Amino acid sequence: MPNALPRPKSMALLGWALKPSAREFAILSLTLLGVWICELSIPFLLGDTVDAAVSKTAGAEIPRLGGATLVIAVALYALHAAYLRAEIRLVARATFRLRQHLYTRLLEQPLSWFARPRKGEIAQRLMSDSEVMDAHAIYLLADVPFAVLTVLGVFTVMLWMQPLLASLVSAVLVAVAAVSHRVARPLGTLEKSVRHRWARLGGRLQESLDAFRTVKSFGRERYETRRLDREGERLLRAEIAAGQVVARLEPLLQLITTFGFLAVVWYGAVLVYDGALTPGRLVAFIAYMELMREPVRDAGAYFAHYKQSAAMLGRIAGFLKQLGFSLPSGHAKSEGPLTVEMEDVHFAYPDAGRAVLKGISLSAAPGEIVAVIGENGAGKSTLMDVLLGLLPPDRGAVRVGGIPLEEWDATAWRNATAVLPQTPLLFHASIGENIRYGAPETGDEEVDLAVEQAGLLPVIERLSRGLKTVVGDRGEKLSGGERQRVALARALLRRPRLLVLDEPGSALDAAALPCLGRILRDGCKDRVTFVISHDPETVACADRVIVLESGRIACICNPSELGSAHDAFRKTVRTAA
């Protein structure tokens, strides 16, 4: 990404994305100028050819003028093609640049940000709104500069040829501008509504697809279809309203330009009859009118593209304004074993209305296994997310290796940690690629060791393609326990100095549970391990247990003391079978 980031304003964003290099700007400028000169030259030569034919005294000029016209026509084609090629490259690069900026800014956000907007609407904004370049901005870049130059150049030539006819043309242009402004005024608001409805429909569809198992299990296909239909109908009404504005605008502009053309031809014929204008000049004037007719006729479409571009870029700018930068400014690193400390940590999700963590203070030394238990909603997973730096605390301090977490170098910190979430997500890739996701440069021997440690070897041996087996979307081709083993192998492969396991045994079968116990009991002496669990055998492997109640630490004790130390144990830990 370029260092200079765009201001989150619609036209500033467009200018930043479309900013050409010096070479691109030179090619665009020179080819555009060449096309402009060629187009202005052809009507003038046609007029001279007609006057030569009418005068019957310059017959030798006709072949010369015709040849010159043909040469200029060929040059016009070559220059126009070169201009369009350069413009297409510039727009494609601008689309990529805009999307790259959106992706990068989105992935910079802290975990708490993703609790607010719907993911489907985020994806819709990224993909649909960033198509503004191909859908609308390309016209503003490719057509509008040329149209403006054409109108100015043609009008200047017309003014030189016949001021009265030129004045008539200027009256037509003023009428077109006034009608465009008046009729197309509501188009920007309507376009914003269309894009908003597109995002809502996309988000609703994504939500239904993500929950397709639940939809099928409860037989709610018709209900989901009705929900999609309601969003689709709102989108339909918004699209029709915007389309009706365009449907009124374009024919009206065409009617005005047609009347103007007829008026110019009629008055030009009068001037020829009176001897104030030659027939050739009238032919040239009509040719210039035809040359000007297209950009004037399309003025409404250009205005609509401008409004639609402004609306889409405005949505993107508004989206970017919601984003903050979470890139750490620190450069600190720490080698070797890490100590973990949290002091008076408070945290609340945005707009949640209540604090999730309230004054948490704890510490853990290298080689320690700390179990965290508590009822649902007690704040266990949030506590781990704050510890890992995925959520910034509202108040309090987190220090790792004696260094405040916000001062750590981001890459160094991520390389020091690994997480096994309660519901691990696998990518649509092979088992081997999923395991290597956190350590892509790792050798085969280390991967094999992580597979064995995670108890994944029997699964790999059963599959015909082994580690090359593609797991499907979100790992759907594997069972829940198999997905958890793959995620466990992924975490172990990183050789983390801080390991967080969130309900690691929740999806493991009886054959795999001993592997988890062995990992905890024989864990690296230089590693700090936090484990969230309701399983008594897993909790028994810990050196200490932290009991959370409503975001506060209710007690800290040894596993052997847990049952008598606090009644939360009876509520939160499963009774062994």
Side-chain angles (χ1 to χ4, degrees):
M1 283 292 295
N3 291 328
L5 296 178
R7 290 177 296 149
K9 295 183 179 180
S10 57
M11 291 300 107
L13 199 61
L14 178 63
W16 172 83
L18 286 172
K19 185 178 181 180
S21 65
R23 181 174 179 274
E24 287 174 325
F25 182 77
I27 292 173
L28 286 167
S29 300
L30 291 174
T31 52
L32 180 60
L33 181 62
V35 170
W36 181 66
I37 292 173
C38 289
E39 285 210 332
L40 290 181
S41 301
I42 289 175
F44 193 83
L45 291 173
L46 288 176
D48 283 353
T49 303
V50 170
D51 281 341
V54 170
S55 67
K56 297 184 180 181
T57 59
E61 291 293 310
I62 295 176
R64 184 180 65 80
L65 291 170
T69 304
L70 288 176
V71 170
I72 292 176
V74 172
L76 174 62
Y77 166 77
L79 289 168
H80 196 193
Y83 174 74
L84 289 178
R85 284 196 298 270
E87 170 264 323
I88 288 170
R89 285 195 297 269
L90 181 62
V91 169
R93 185 182 59 79
T95 302
F96 169 77
R97 194 179 185 191
L98 180 60
R99 284 180 176 157
Q100 184 187 38
H101 180 59
L102 287 169
Y103 299 154
T104 303
R105 289 294 311 278
L106 183 63
L107 293 175
E108 288 173 355
Q109 301 313 299
L111 196 62
S112 56
W113 186 87
F114 292 91
R116 292 183 291 182
R118 291 182 174 180
K119 296 180 178 63
E121 292 189 26
I122 293 174
Q124 188 69 20
R125 289 183 181 185
L126 287 176
M127 300 309 297
S128 177
D129 286 357
S130 59
E131 289 178 0
V132 61
M133 299 299 173
D134 292 328
H136 302 292
I138 187 172
Y139 297 98
L140 301 178
L141 174 69
D143 295 350
V144 171
F146 181 70
V148 171
L149 282 176
T150 298
V151 170
L152 292 176
V154 168
F155 186 72
T156 301
V157 174
M158 285 180 169
L159 198 61
W160 171 73
M161 291 173 60
Q162 177 46 251
L164 291 176
L165 280 180
S167 299
L168 185 58
V169 172
S170 67
V172 174
L173 293 178
V174 170
V176 167
V179 169
S180 296
H181 178 73
R182 177 73 177 178
V183 177
R185 185 182 300 172
L187 198 57
T189 302
L190 292 172
E191 182 62 25
K192 286 182 181 179
S193 177
V194 168
R195 291 295 161 184
H196 174 70
R197 294 303 176 190
W198 262 113
R200 289 292 300 269
L201 180 60
R204 183 73 73 192
L205 179 60
Q206 185 66 49
E207 186 179 53
S208 298
L209 294 176
D210 286 344
F212 77 96
R213 290 184 182 276
T214 304
V215 173
K216 288 288 184 182
S217 299
F218 286 90
R220 298 290 279 171
E221 295 91 343
R222 291 183 180 276
Y223 171 73
E224 292 298 322
T225 301
R226 287 195 298 271
R227 291 209 305 171
L228 290 169
D229 284 345
R230 284 195 294 271
E231 293 294 345
E233 288 168 359
R234 295 187 183 105
L235 172 60
L236 176 64
R237 289 194 294 270
E239 288 180 324
I240 290 175
Q244 286 175 342
V245 173
V246 176
R248 288 195 302 270
L249 179 63
E250 292 189 8
L252 187 57
L253 294 177
Q254 188 170 9
L255 180 63
I256 294 173
T257 55
T258 300
F259 281 150
F261 177 77
L262 293 175
V264 167
V265 172
W266 174 81
Y267 187 60
V270 172
L271 292 174
V272 171
Y273 181 80
D274 291 339
L277 193 68
T278 66
R281 287 289 185 262
L282 178 58
V283 170
F285 212 101
I286 292 173
Y288 280 125
M289 277 291 295
E290 279 297 309
L291 196 60
M292 185 187 283
R293 188 176 182 179
E294 183 176 349
V296 172
R297 183 195 64 206
D298 292 341
Y302 298 149
F303 190 73
H305 286 303
Y306 168 76
K307 284 290 189 179
Q308 289 165 334
S309 296
M312 295 171 74
L313 288 165
R315 278 174 52 83
I316 294 175
F319 176 70
L320 289 172
K321 286 179 181 178
Q322 298 175 20
L323 306 182
F325 284 97
S326 63
L327 291 175
S329 57
H331 303 283
K333 300 180 182 180
S334 178
E335 304 297 333
L338 299 174
T339 57
V340 175
E341 300 171 88
M342 301 182 78
E343 182 179 346
D344 194 29
V345 168
H346 295 254
F347 178 81
Y349 288 100
D351 304 322
R354 65 181 183 88
V356 182
L357 300 179
K358 308 167 187 175
I360 299 293
S361 297
L362 58 86
S363 62
E368 266 197 301
I369 300 172
V370 179
V372 181
I373 68 171
E375 295 180 295
N376 292 335
K380 305 183 295 295
S381 296
T382 302
L383 176 63
M384 294 299 101
D385 287 340
V386 171
L387 172 61
L388 291 165
L390 299 175
L391 296 174
D394 299 329
R395 202 168 79 221
V398 180
R399 290 183 291 272
V400 182
I403 302 170
L405 195 53
E406 62 271 16
E407 295 181 11
W408 268 78
D409 174 80
T411 301
W413 173 240
R414 291 290 165 239
N415 288 337
T417 65
V419 184
L420 175 65
Q422 183 174 358
T423 306
L425 185 144
L426 301 186
F427 298 95
H428 188 89
S430 68
I431 293 176
E433 289 173 300
N434 272 284
I435 293 174
R436 277 195 168 95
Y437 184 76
E441 305 300 326
T442 309
D444 293 341
E445 292 184 1
E446 292 172 288
V447 172
D448 291 340
L449 177 60
V451 165
E452 184 179 354
Q453 289 177 331
L456 191 58
L457 192 56
V459 178
I460 300 300
E461 291 175 343
R462 188 178 71 248
L463 298 171
S464 59
R465 300 199 64 200
L467 287 171
K468 295 181 179 180
T469 302
V470 176
V471 301
D473 189 28
R474 298 176 178 268
E476 63 182 7
K477 295 183 180 180
L478 302 180
S479 69
E482 290 168 345
R483 288 196 293 271
Q484 200 150 24
R485 292 192 222 183
V486 172
L488 181 58
R490 179 167 62 194
L492 295 174
L493 185 64
R494 288 174 66 83
R495 298 183 180 277
R497 290 179 281 164
L498 171 62
L499 176 64
V500 174
L501 307 174
D502 192 349
E503 294 289 357
S506 60
L508 297 181
D509 53 29
L513 279 173
C515 295
L516 176 61
R518 185 172 63 252
I519 291 168
L520 292 173
R521 286 191 299 271
D522 302 335
C524 177
K525 64 181 180 180
D526 295 333
R527 183 174 69 209
V528 177
T529 303
F530 282 88
V531 55
I532 299 173
S533 181
H534 292 157
D535 177 64
E537 294 183 6
T538 303
V539 173
C541 296
D543 299 300
R544 283 185 297 145
V545 180
I546 295 175
V547 181
L548 288 184
E549 275 191 352
S550 302
R552 301 182 185 277
I553 295 179
C555 90
I556 300 178
C557 58
N558 296 325
S560 59
E561 304 168 342
L562 184 60
S564 58
H566 204 277
D567 60 4
F569 178 75
R570 293 190 293 274
K571 300 177 183 178
T572 58
V573 180
R574 295 194 307 268
T575 303

